[in-house]
């Protein structure tokens, strides 16, 4: 498996970090990953290894203000920066992998970013995967959300610890230990991020019926970071017939790193297989 690291120009010309992993043979398709708040693209190693073993190339960016990308931790000036960054990232992917089918996978905050993008610009996407998307209510205290709303206009860069429980990420103690020692992770969100996030989620939920590409949505029933009931309400609003929504009993937030991650990855792999263009399926056979 070949690993490549580099940068691309996001919104406003900001240089954003990304990594990619490639099978030895020609890639059957590309999976582009968008991580969640406080995380980074290097956390999806088990998923990367599994997908590459199936013949997929995997690309993962570090969002602005996250991981190895520059910017104030957990801050944006406007939600459109995330959308424009993802657009630039996908353009870079398509340049590197011309004529290769492309799926986009967003987790948590990344799930909201992916849904927002897919609703507005589905062209070139073979399908969207969202795991534990940040929709509806999230596991942040009402006080901190209220502070964010108050300060968004007068001090938008005000940064607060979000207060998410890291133990709610996975039932695997070694994963939690790794998270706690990871210098690239952070726990911050700005006042402007809070207001931009909730405005974006309102828009996403109100436009769910506009989705026009295949959707796979996965959520754990015991997720205390993002709420599974919000995912199911979104699924109900999606009228596009090619949609699959799965719940994993007892699973925590980071499905790709929970104790049943292998089950989750197999479900993702099967869905991808079913949504490859016929020519790619024929070549793989």
């Amino acid at each position: 498996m070949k690993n490549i690291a580099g940068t691309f120009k996001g919104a406003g010309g900001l240089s954003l970090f990304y990594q990619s992993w490639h099978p030895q043979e020609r890639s059957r398709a590309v999976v582009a990953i968008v991580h969640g708040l406080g995380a980074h693209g290097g956390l999806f190693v088990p998923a990367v290894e599994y997908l590459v073993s199936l013949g997929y190339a995997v690309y993962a960016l570090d969002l602005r203000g996250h991981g190895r990308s520059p910017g104030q931790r957990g801050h944006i000036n406007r939600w459109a920066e995330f959308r424009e960054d993802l657009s630039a990232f996908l353009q870079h992917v398509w340049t590197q992998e011309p004529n290769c089918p492309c799926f986009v996978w967003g987790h948590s905050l990344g799930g909201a970013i992916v849904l927002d993008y897919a609703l507005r610009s589905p062209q070139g996407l073979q399908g969207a995967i969202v795991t534990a998307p940040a929709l509806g209510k999230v596991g942040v205290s009402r006080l901190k959300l209220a502070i964010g709303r108050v300060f968004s206009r007068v001090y938008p860069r005000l940064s607060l610890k979000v207060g998410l429980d890291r133990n709610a990420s996975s039932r695997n103690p070694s994963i939690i230990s790794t998270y706690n020692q990871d210098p690239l992770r952070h726990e911050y969100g700005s006042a402007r991020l809070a207001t931009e996030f909730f405005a974006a989620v309102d828009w996403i939920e109100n436009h769910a019926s506009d989705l026009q590409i295949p959707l796979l949505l996965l959520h754990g029933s015991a997720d205390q970071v993002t709420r599974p009931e919000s995912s199911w309400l979104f699924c109900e609003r999606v009228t596009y017939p090619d949609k699959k929504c799965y719940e994993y009993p007892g699973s925590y937030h980071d499905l790709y790193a929970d104790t049943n991650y292998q089950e989750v990855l197999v479900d993702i792999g099967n869905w991808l297989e079913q949504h490859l263009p016929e020519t790619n399926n024929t070549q793989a056979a």
Side-chain angles (χ1 to χ4, degrees):
M1 178 173 67
K2 182 170 67 172
N3 176 223
I4 298 172
T7 61
F8 68 97
K9 297 295 185 182
L14 190 67
S15 291
L16 300 177
F17 179 84
Y18 82 95
Q19 294 184 74
S20 62
W21 299 263
H22 305 263
Q24 292 186 351
E25 303 298 328
R26 180 177 180 272
S27 303
R28 304 173 67 198
V30 176
V31 179
I33 297 178
V34 186
H35 63 78
L37 180 65
H40 58 86
L43 294 175
F44 293 78
V45 173
V48 167
E49 291 175 346
Y50 178 73
L51 292 172
V52 171
S53 75
L54 297 179
Y56 298 99
V58 181
Y59 285 69
L61 85 163
D62 286 1
L63 293 169
R64 59 179 57 219
H66 290 79
R68 292 183 173 88
S69 289
Q72 178 183 328
R73 302 295 90 174
H75 174 69
I76 54 170
N77 296 299
R78 53 194 178 90
W79 181 265
E81 290 176 337
F82 280 151
R83 184 167 60 248
E84 292 166 13
D85 288 344
L86 178 53
S87 177
F89 180 50
L90 291 173
Q91 292 297 328
H92 178 76
V93 170
W94 292 330
T95 299
Q96 301 300 309
E97 308 279 346
N99 304 315
C100 197
C102 182
F103 300 87
V104 61
W105 172 6
H107 177 70
S108 197
L109 173 65
I113 294 170
V114 162
L115 289 173
D116 173 67
Y117 181 87
L119 285 164
R120 298 174 188 268
S121 305
Q123 300 84 6
L125 294 178
Q126 196 71 25
I129 303 165
V130 288
T131 50
L135 300 172
K137 294 181 179 180
V138 293
V140 179
S141 75
R142 291 182 180 181
L143 175 60
K144 289 186 177 181
L145 293 176
I147 292 173
R149 290 189 177 99
V150 169
F151 279 89
S152 179
R153 289 182 179 275
V154 297
Y155 187 14
R157 290 183 177 273
L158 175 68
S159 185
L160 294 173
K161 278 196 172 184
V162 177
L164 296 174
D165 182 4
R166 282 192 178 178
N167 291 320
S169 296
S170 173
R171 293 170 290 180
N172 186 336
S174 67
I175 293 294
I176 302 303
S177 176
T178 299
Y179 282 0
N180 290 334
Q181 298 174 50
D182 187 345
L184 294 179
R185 289 182 64 91
H186 72 80
E187 301 178 347
Y188 294 93
S190 71
R192 180 59 55 81
L193 173 63
T195 54
E196 290 291 297
F197 166 73
F198 285 109
V201 167
D202 284 345
W203 188 91
I204 291 167
E205 292 176 340
N206 289 330
H207 289 80
S209 61
D210 295 340
L211 190 69
Q212 293 298 314
I213 60 172
L215 172 69
L216 175 65
L217 193 157
L218 312 175
H219 216 131
S221 69
D223 191 340
Q224 296 299 310
V225 178
T226 60
R227 307 303 188 193
E229 56 267 26
S230 298
S231 285
W232 313 141
L233 286 173
F234 179 81
C235 274
E236 290 176 3
R237 295 181 178 133
V238 173
T239 57
Y240 190 72
D242 192 347
K243 62 177 181 179
K244 296 289 184 183
C245 305
Y246 296 154
E247 181 176 88
Y248 298 91
S251 289
Y252 282 16
H253 183 61
D254 287 352
L255 290 172
Y256 57 88
D258 204 6
T259 52
N260 64 324
Y261 77 94
Q262 292 175 319
E263 174 190 5
V264 173
L265 295 182
V266 167
D267 287 340
I268 290 174
N270 289 340
W271 184 85
L272 288 169
E273 185 75 27
Q274 295 164 8
H275 289 86
L276 286 173
E278 287 298 324
T279 53
N280 285 63
N281 276 315
T282 301
Q283 289 174 1

